[in-house]
Amino acid sequence: MQLKKYQIPDYMYSIYNSRRRQSDNLDYKRQILETHLNFQNYIEKLQMLLYLEEIWMKDNIKKYNISDAVFHKEMELFTLEMSGFSENRPSVRQGDILSVYPVGNKEMRYWGSVHSVQHNSVKIKFFKSMDQFVEGMKFNVEFTVKNLIMRLQHRALELAYEDRLMSVLFPNPKHCGQQHNELPKLRLFNTQVEDNPRQYQAIQHIMAGSSRPAPYLIYGPPGTGALNLTILHSLFQNRILFHLFHLLCVYFNLSSAGKTVTMAEAIKQIANNCTSTSIKILACASTNSACDVLCENIVGGNEDKSKVYRMYAKYCDSRLVPEVLKAYSNLDRQTFVFPEKKELMKYKIIVTTPYTAGRLVTEDFPVGHFTHVFFDEAGHGLETECLIALAGLLCPMKGQVVLAGDPNQLGPIVRSHLAKKNGMEVSLLERLMKLYTKKKMLKKSFYTKLQFNYRSHPSILQIPNQLFYRGALFAKGDEAKCYSCCQWKHLPKKGFPLIFHSVSGVEEKEASSNSIFNTAEKDMIISYVKKLLQTLDNISPQDIGIITPYRKQVQKIQEGLEIVGKEYRDKPWSAVKVGTVEEFQEDERKVILVSTVHSSNNQLKKDKHFNLGVIRSKKKFNVVLTRAMALLIVVGDLEVLKSDCYWGKFIEYCEENGAILSTSNDTSNQ
């Protein structure tokens, strides 16, 4: 099916710029935008939100145009040093288009796309050889937004209406779950799932189509899957060894029954045990890494290569394809190829991102070709991103949709304040969770909530469990791991592995960056890392993670660790992971240290406006507190943090348990 241009209408610029012209049409459009998303306004409202976001992106990316830029060539890629990236709003993104020309010679223009974005640089791949390039040569650089992503979402909205997907997107309990199919008795590929009745019943209901046409929801709170791939990756620095080890874990059922494992088991059951010859499954996730994890769980146990196909987009980095998935993928040597439509249609299971799934619609896959669509980490993506994998591919009355994720953790990144204000940040998973609650659809035939937390010490889990999960989570982690720091000599209270250390520092900013940092907190964090590695034999640098909301604070902490590493050469200090909240969303460590950075209330209004920082952001707060297995140390300004209702609860909890230190009363050095 053709992908149209979807040009931004003129009236959207007026709405974006808040121009209050006298116009009945504009007033009508504003009313739609400001009304709660519903069956009647669904298409038009989401289209307007997409336009607002695109206007913001096009307007903002011009700030990154550069004069007299110097590139560094690395094989087929070129690196461009850049500073001043906005916090949590990556204005320059993978896939964005840019043109460059030598200073003083506009006629010699080269076009390329952003291959990847680092903290202070971007890697670029040009569409044709830069045959005139010489190291040190100066160029002018102009960025433009690649709007293919937006166009795919606009088309999905149009197709959702044409394909009558509203019964899936706004399910009515009176018209759902009417099949009354008997729940099948299963012989599971992953025997550990059998030990957890919730997962087992979820797979039964998915196979029986009990919720149809409503999506079946798998609610996976933090730590409900014990085998964390990021931890394994830190232990196996060689990527091939890491994925081989993971495949062995899958093959011998060494992974616990988290949401991804549950989805993979359901997919394998449907593909292998459903009698219908028309069974076709599309399995998606928002990122390629999440798709890889899902696919690895599917192919564990040597799934037939003629059944499973891992489809990558052409711009993906071939070096990042897991060794165990190469035989199942469209990787041909170092490039990605796309088979003809008739070849793709033969596969029972296709695993890809929603944007690459949009290519199947463009290739005119028939509506209803896929009988089942699974979407992992559905809370991370925009509703319209999820829609790409459904519209034009799924028959609403015969197909089954399964969504998995946690609406209480980080959701989609939305840059336009106006789009955010009018609901664009709410994912399809989060909206359906609220809808199911309102319509009393939170029952086994529609929904499963995973309850066993295999990650954290019970004391670390307590506050998030109380605030976000109604006390429904049960700490089931390995005691040898979760209790391993309970007697650390620097704990204010033995047996309670939490510390809140109050530091009254100063927010600082450099002229070349909008990002802020706090030197006093940085010094305290590094001090704790030194204590951990000097006094705990069971803690290595790979076991430690440091979370901070600002990129400049990340950089300052990394620089501080590098200096300390030169002094103490007996340990690989560079293995300590330092990152933003977003970079820890799917991660965990034995020990987590947090630097909140803020030392005054001056920045908080801006933070709330742009969704920065960890104050007044309950989802970021939840992520920060649920990454630690055995020890959690938070460094911040007590008075500033107490002004936030969530941090206030955490500080109160630490006070009740005698776990608060300040620079003046810190006895840990004694």
Side-chain angles (χ1 to χ4, degrees):
M1 179 182 179
Q2 182 184 6
L3 184 61
K4 295 186 289 188
K5 295 294 185 183
Y6 299 102
Q7 299 288 349
I8 301 171
D10 289 340
Y11 68 80
M12 288 306 306
Y13 289 98
S14 297
I15 292 173
Y16 179 81
N17 293 313
S18 300
R19 289 200 291 266
R20 286 283 175 183
R21 294 196 322 222
Q22 289 296 320
S23 166
D24 291 340
N25 183 53
L26 267 185
D27 290 340
Y28 168 71
K29 295 292 184 183
R30 286 194 184 99
Q31 185 178 359
I32 290 174
L33 186 64
E34 294 166 4
T35 303
H36 187 74
L37 190 68
N38 56 53
F39 180 91
Q40 286 77 23
N41 70 9
Y42 185 81
I43 308 298
E44 196 165 3
K45 172 162 181 164
L46 289 180
Q47 282 179 333
M48 292 174 71
L49 292 175
L50 287 172
Y51 286 136
L52 288 173
E53 182 73 351
E54 186 176 356
I55 293 171
W56 188 97
M57 292 164 64
K58 287 183 173 181
D59 190 42
N60 202 67
I61 203 168
K62 296 174 185 175
K63 300 174 184 177
Y64 294 94
N65 291 346
I66 303 173
S67 300
D68 298 328
V70 176
F71 291 93
H72 303 289
K73 188 174 182 181
E74 303 173 21
M75 299 182 71
E76 77 275 12
L77 299 178
F78 290 78
T79 300
L80 174 63
E81 299 296 327
M82 296 180 68
S83 61
F85 281 128
S86 302
E87 296 286 352
N88 195 31
R89 294 170 287 147
S91 308
V92 177
R93 303 193 302 173
Q94 184 185 56
D96 281 342
I97 305 298
L98 73 160
S99 67
V100 308
Y101 57 89
V103 174
N105 187 0
K106 280 192 174 184
E107 302 303 315
M108 190 186 295
R109 190 178 289 266
Y110 298 91
W111 291 86
S113 65
V114 175
H115 181 271
S116 60
V117 181
Q118 278 77 44
H119 286 311
N120 293 301
S121 66
V122 294
K123 290 189 183 295
I124 297 160
K125 189 169 185 177
F126 288 98
F127 300 142
K128 66 177 184 177
S129 174
M130 290 182 67
D131 46 12
Q132 302 296 318
F133 176 79
V134 177
E135 283 287 349
M137 194 174 181
K138 292 185 177 181
F139 292 85
N140 291 335
V141 182
E142 297 174 357
F143 286 94
T144 59
V145 173
K146 182 182 180 182
N147 68 344
L148 173 63
I149 289 172
M150 293 297 184
R151 292 165 62 199
L152 288 168
Q153 293 173 82
H154 278 292
R155 183 177 68 182
L157 282 168
E158 289 185 352
L159 289 174
Y161 179 77
E162 292 176 16
D163 297 346
R164 300 176 182 176
L165 277 179
M166 292 304 154
S167 59
V168 174
L169 300 170
F170 292 90
N172 185 332
K174 294 179 181 179
H175 304 141
C176 297
Q178 302 298 315
Q179 285 84 358
H180 298 297
N181 295 338
E182 184 178 345
L183 295 182
K185 292 183 179 180
L186 306 174
R187 183 178 178 182
L188 301 184
F189 296 93
N190 188 329
T191 55
Q192 288 203 356
V193 177
E194 292 177 341
D195 299 330
N196 193 316
R198 283 178 177 266
Q199 275 82 351
Y200 183 79
Q201 289 177 4
I203 296 167
Q204 286 182 305
H205 283 292
I206 291 168
M207 287 196 69
S210 302
S211 67
R212 197 178 290 157
Y216 192 91
L217 308 184
I218 302 176
Y219 184 5
T224 50
L227 180 63
N228 185 282
L229 297 181
T230 314
I231 279 289
L232 290 179
H233 203 190
S234 71
L235 298 176
F236 290 89
Q237 296 299 319
N238 181 294
R239 189 178 177 88
I240 296 175
L241 288 177
F242 157 66
H243 284 288
L244 285 175
F245 181 80
H246 173 233
L247 192 60
L248 287 171
C249 289
V250 173
Y251 185 83
F252 291 108
N253 298 330
L254 299 179
S255 56
S256 68
K259 58 180 174 50
T260 303
V261 173
T262 306
M263 289 189 89
E265 180 67 32
I267 290 168
K268 293 170 78 169
Q269 289 292 333
I270 293 165
N272 288 281
N273 295 329
C274 285
T275 54
S276 173
T277 57
S278 64
I279 291 294
K280 293 288 188 294
I281 302 166
L282 178 62
C284 289
S286 294
T287 64
N288 276 296
S289 59
C291 284
D292 288 341
V293 172
L294 179 58
C295 195
E296 284 171 321
N297 277 281
I298 293 169
V299 303
N302 296 320
E303 190 68 49
D304 187 349
K305 292 181 177 61
S306 65
K307 288 183 180 178
V308 184
Y309 196 67
R310 172 68 177 99
M311 189 166 69
Y312 293 89
K314 64 180 180 180
Y315 62 77
C316 291
D317 189 339
S318 60
R319 296 169 297 181
L320 298 181
V321 176
E323 193 68 29
V324 295
L325 295 184
K326 287 181 178 178
Y328 296 88
S329 76
N330 58 328
L331 180 64
D332 183 7
R333 296 179 183 176
Q334 301 301 315
T335 59
F336 296 100
V337 297
F338 285 89
E340 292 184 5
K341 173 184 168 183
K342 63 180 181 180
E343 290 299 315
L344 276 175
M345 291 180 67
K346 292 177 182 177
Y347 289 98
K348 271 199 169 183
I349 306 166
I350 293 179
V351 184
T352 191
T353 62
Y355 295 116
T356 308
R359 187 182 180 108
L360 305 179
V361 180
T362 305
E363 295 293 328
D364 287 321
F365 267 54
V367 176
H369 172 78
F370 291 105
T371 56
H372 297 75
V373 176
F374 287 77
F375 206 115
D376 199 9
E377 305 297 352
H380 293 187
L382 297 169
E383 173 151 352
T384 45
E385 288 177 336
C386 289
L387 209 56
I388 297 171
L390 304 177
L393 297 173
L394 183 87
C395 174
M397 299 313 295
K398 296 180 180 179
Q400 173 71 65
V401 179
V402 181
L403 305 176
D406 180 3
N408 286 309
Q409 296 190 68
L410 297 183
I413 293 176
V414 176
R415 299 157 189 82
S416 163
H417 176 64
L418 190 55
K420 191 186 307 179
K421 176 184 173 183
N422 287 288
M424 194 176 189
E425 270 189 320
V426 180
S427 67
L428 176 60
L429 177 70
E430 183 174 357
R431 184 176 67 77
L432 287 177
M433 287 284 293
K434 292 176 181 176
L435 183 70
Y436 285 19
T437 302
K438 181 179 179 181
K439 296 194 173 184
K440 296 181 171 52
M441 294 168 67
L442 292 182
K443 46 190 177 181
K444 293 176 183 177
S445 56
F446 292 93
Y447 158 91
T448 289
K449 181 178 182 179
L450 310 186
Q451 292 184 299
F452 292 164
N453 178 286
Y454 298 99
R455 176 182 296 159
S456 301
H457 185 283
S459 299
I460 295 173
L461 185 62
Q462 174 68 23
I463 289 297
N465 192 16
Q466 174 188 323
L467 292 177
F468 304 113
Y469 304 104
R470 300 183 180 181
L473 301 184
F474 299 94
K476 295 286 186 179
D478 176 22
E479 290 193 8
K481 173 187 69 178
C482 296
Y483 287 73
S484 60
C485 296
C486 282
Q487 299 306 312
W488 187 39
K489 71 182 219 177
H490 294 296
L491 282 176
K493 180 181 178 180
K494 300 295 185 291
F496 187 77
L498 284 86
I499 299 174
F500 179 84
H501 198 123
S502 182
V503 172
S504 298
V506 177
E507 295 174 12
E508 302 173 69
K509 187 183 291 187
E510 293 177 349
S512 62
S513 172
N514 292 321
S515 189
I516 63 174
F517 61 97
N518 188 314
T519 301
E521 288 191 19
K522 179 261 294 182
D523 292 341
M524 184 59 66
I525 289 287
I526 291 172
S527 171
Y528 270 114
V529 175
K530 288 169 67 175
K531 292 173 187 175
L532 286 163
L533 294 178
Q534 290 169 355
T535 61
L536 282 174
D537 293 335
N538 61 343
I539 296 296
S540 65
Q542 292 94 332
D543 295 321
I544 300 173
I546 302 172
I547 306 176
T548 185
Y550 293 97
R551 288 178 175 172
K552 185 56 69 173
Q553 185 77 340
V554 169
Q555 180 186 329
K556 296 294 183 182
I557 293 172
Q558 288 172 332
E559 290 171 353
L561 290 174
E562 187 177 339
I563 293 170
V564 174
K566 292 176 182 177
E567 182 182 350
Y568 300 92
R569 297 179 182 274
D570 57 324
K571 297 183 188 296
W573 288 70
S574 61
V576 175
K577 177 177 176 179
V578 189
T580 61
V581 184
E582 291 76 18
E583 290 168 314
F584 272 88
Q585 164 87 345
E586 294 303 320
D587 207 348
E588 62 185 22
R589 289 290 189 273
K590 270 190 181 179
V591 180
I592 288 290
L593 299 99
V594 182
S595 169
T596 60
V597 180
H598 285 300
S599 59
S600 73
N601 292 312
N602 297 335
Q603 177 83 10
L604 297 185
K605 186 175 181 181
K606 178 182 176 183
D607 277 9
K608 186 173 177 61
H609 184 83
F610 290 113
N611 193 27
L612 307 178
V614 290
I615 305 175
R616 299 178 187 171
S617 174
K618 67 177 184 179
K619 292 184 178 183
K620 288 187 177 182
F621 171 83
N622 188 26
V623 171
V624 163
L625 261 60
T626 53
R627 304 304 98 190
M629 303 176 189
L631 176 61
L632 174 63
I633 301 171
V634 177
V635 175
D637 189 301
L638 184 142
E639 293 304 320
V640 172
L641 291 172
K642 280 177 74 173
S643 67
D644 176 79
C645 61
Y646 297 104
W647 281 106
K649 288 284 187 184
F650 176 75
I651 291 170
E652 182 182 331
Y653 176 60
C654 290
E655 284 176 337
E656 291 171 355
N657 287 277
I660 291 192
L661 294 174
S662 66
T663 305
S664 58
N665 73 358
D666 178 14
T667 60
S668 58
N669 287 314
Q670 298 175 6

